[in-house]
Amino acid sequence: RLEAVLPRYRPCELISPFREPLSKYLNRHCASASGFFLEEHRLGNPMYSDLFLDLLKRDESAPLRKYMSGRECTVMLLNVCFERPLAIIRSEKNSATPTGKTTSSSLAAYGINQWNSPSSQRKLEVVRQEIEMKHHYLSQK
């Protein structure tokens, strides 16, 4: 938000005093950072996408670039880019499964995991936290 008040000219963005500390922080939390920036509503917002691109271009962002080019993030990027077409494919497969295979198993044959999109990962994390809280609550009794 601090950068939003800075002028939106390219030279000012490159000399922003907040980019270096932010890129160092994001290097420590690559998975969370990529999940944050790759959510559909942020990826389509030029303020977030320009910031993320600039952070990735910085010399000190090598660990983040390495994570983004890894297998786990590549699958997440593919799911983000093709989430809508995959939803159509999933609904078609759910309506007609003559082979008896489940949709997730047939998509998994192509390396597509329905839990790899950032929004699905967040939902899964919330469910895991709820289960842990309930387990902790029950163990207290």
Side-chain angles (χ1 to χ4, degrees), residues 71-82:
R71 177 164 173 77
E72 179 183 337
C73 198
T74 302
V75 171
M76 184 173 31
L77 280 167
L78 289 171
N79 282 330
V80 167
C81 294
F82 300 107

Side-chain angles (χ1 to χ4, degrees), residues 51-109:
L51 172 64
F52 192 48
L53 284 173
D54 185 54
L55 290 169
L56 286 171
K57 291 177 185 176
R58 299 183 71 82
D59 291 337
E60 59 268 4
S61 294
L64 184 58
R65 283 192 305 273
K66 183 178 179 182
Y67 177 81
M68 292 293 292
S69 63
R71 177 164 173 77
E72 179 183 337
C73 198
T74 302
V75 171
M76 184 173 31
L77 280 167
L78 289 171
N79 282 330
V80 167
C81 294
F82 300 107
E83 191 167 359
R84 286 191 183 131
L86 287 176
I88 294 168
I89 292 169
R90 286 183 191 124
S91 67
E92 289 174 356
K93 290 204 180 253
N94 278 338
S95 63
T97 55
T99 61
K101 289 185 177 180
T102 63
T103 303
S104 59
S105 66
S106 62
L107 290 175

Side-chain angles (χ1 to χ4, degrees), residues 4-5 10-11 29 49 86 90-91 93 141:
V5 297
R10 290 285 176 207
H29 307 283
S49 60
L86 287 176
R90 286 183 191 124
S91 67
K93 290 204 180 253
K141 286 188 171 185

